[in-house]
Amino acid sequence: MATHENLLGGPPPTHLPDDPEPRELMASGKAPAEVAAKYPTSSLAWAQLADDAFEAGQVVASYAYARTGYHRGLDALRRSGWKGHGPVPFEHEPNRGFLRALHALARAAQAIGEQDEYERCSTFLKESSPTAADILS
């Protein structure tokens, strides 16, 4: 029987394990900084901190938060079998924190003039999840 990897000529999609506690705390109105402090591996909390800082005009802080969420997400992806490339579907809710952090990193990089990083992160987002690139951009 052919696998997803064989049919598409690439690796199968990576689906991060669900970690509902940070998502539920944030949905209930808990401050993202409190969620990040309690769950420092949550890309979702770091992505929200990055978004909030960017909206407040704190671009350097947004960049730092986004970079943290991005690296926490890379760690989680690798633990889930990701080999450095392949789909990370936005449709799978646990992937959204990483994808949001990646988008936030691209946005903040562009805002501070890091054009190479902006382009690298934007390409990575589009290759990982065209849906996320469309929704988040």
Side-chain angles (χ1 to χ4, degrees):
M1 183 169 164
T3 66
H4 182 79
E5 183 170 352
N6 296 6
L7 291 173
L8 297 180
T14 301
H15 294 104
L16 292 173
D18 196 13
D19 189 12
E21 293 86 6
R23 187 175 62 245
E24 290 168 359
L25 283 172
M26 290 183 47
S28 74
K30 184 70 90 176
E34 291 180 44
V35 177
K38 186 171 183 176
Y39 297 97
T41 61
S42 171
S43 288
L44 179 62
W46 293 108
Q48 187 62 53
L49 284 166
D51 288 346
D52 292 349
F54 194 84
E55 289 174 18
Q58 301 168 350
V59 178
V60 173
S62 177
Y63 181 90
Y65 289 136
R67 182 161 285 289
T68 301
Y70 166 75
H71 281 286
R72 293 300 192 151
L74 287 178
D75 292 344
L77 286 168
R78 289 182 187 113
R79 282 192 304 273
S80 294
W82 183 75
K83 304 292 185 207
H85 66 284
V88 182
F90 186 79
E91 294 78 5
H92 181 66
E93 190 168 4
N95 290 351
R96 291 181 185 176
F98 167 72
L99 295 166
R100 284 183 55 197
L102 178 56
H103 164 72
L105 183 57
R107 178 186 61 206
Q110 184 179 42
I112 64 171
E114 286 264 354
Q115 191 61 27
D116 289 345
E117 184 166 36
Y118 163 72
E119 290 173 10
R120 180 185 59 80
C121 290
S122 294
T123 298
F124 186 11
L125 182 63
K126 288 174 193 162
E127 290 175 352
S128 298
S129 175
T131 301
D134 288 342
I135 290 172
L136 299 172
S137 298

